[in-house]
């Protein structure tokens, strides 16, 4: 039979984390609280969100309209030139 020898280790009553670790944890906590507070203040009502979506859609449609008009004008010009050559 084999016998094992017990190894005793010193027991620490309190293990303190490194100061940088505590500082990083505190910074993360503050950042999380800031984001939570900022998010709760900036919440828009459903009606406001719909209005903002419609405004964004209107702006996008206006840009698309200008782009499509340029493409159409170029195509129409090509058609006229091609028809004249035939």
């Amino acid at each position: 039979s084999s016998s094992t020898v017990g190894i005793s280790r010193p027991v620490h009553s309190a293990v303190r984390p490194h100061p940088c670790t505590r500082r990083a944890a505190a910074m993360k906590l503050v950042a999380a609280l800031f984001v939570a507070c900022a998010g709760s203040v900036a919440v828009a009502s459903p009606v406001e969100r719909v209005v903002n979506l419609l405004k964004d859609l209107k702006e996008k449609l206006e840009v698309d309209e200008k782009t499509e008009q340029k493409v159409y004008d170029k195509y129409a010009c090509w058609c006229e030139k091609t028809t004249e050559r035939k």
Side-chain angles (χ1 to χ4, degrees), residues 14-85:
V15 177
R16 291 186 176 159
H18 192 269
C20 292
T21 306
R22 288 186 298 193
R23 185 173 296 128
M27 295 290 280
K28 287 178 185 177
L29 178 63
V30 169
L33 290 173
F34 179 74
V35 169
C37 290
S40 66
V41 173
V43 172
S45 72
V47 174
E48 290 173 328
R49 288 190 291 182
V50 169
V51 169
N52 290 333
L53 286 171
L54 289 172
K55 286 179 181 179
D56 292 342
L57 180 61
K58 179 185 174 197
E59 291 172 5
K60 185 179 183 299
L61 288 173
E62 289 171 350
V63 170
D64 288 348
E65 177 187 16
K66 290 176 184 176
T67 303
E68 289 180 11
Q69 186 63 48
K70 288 179 184 178
V71 171
Y72 175 80
D73 291 343
K74 185 176 178 181
Y75 177 71
C77 181
W78 178 83
C79 288
E80 289 174 10
K81 288 181 182 178
T82 304
T83 304
E84 288 174 5
R85 283 189 280 158

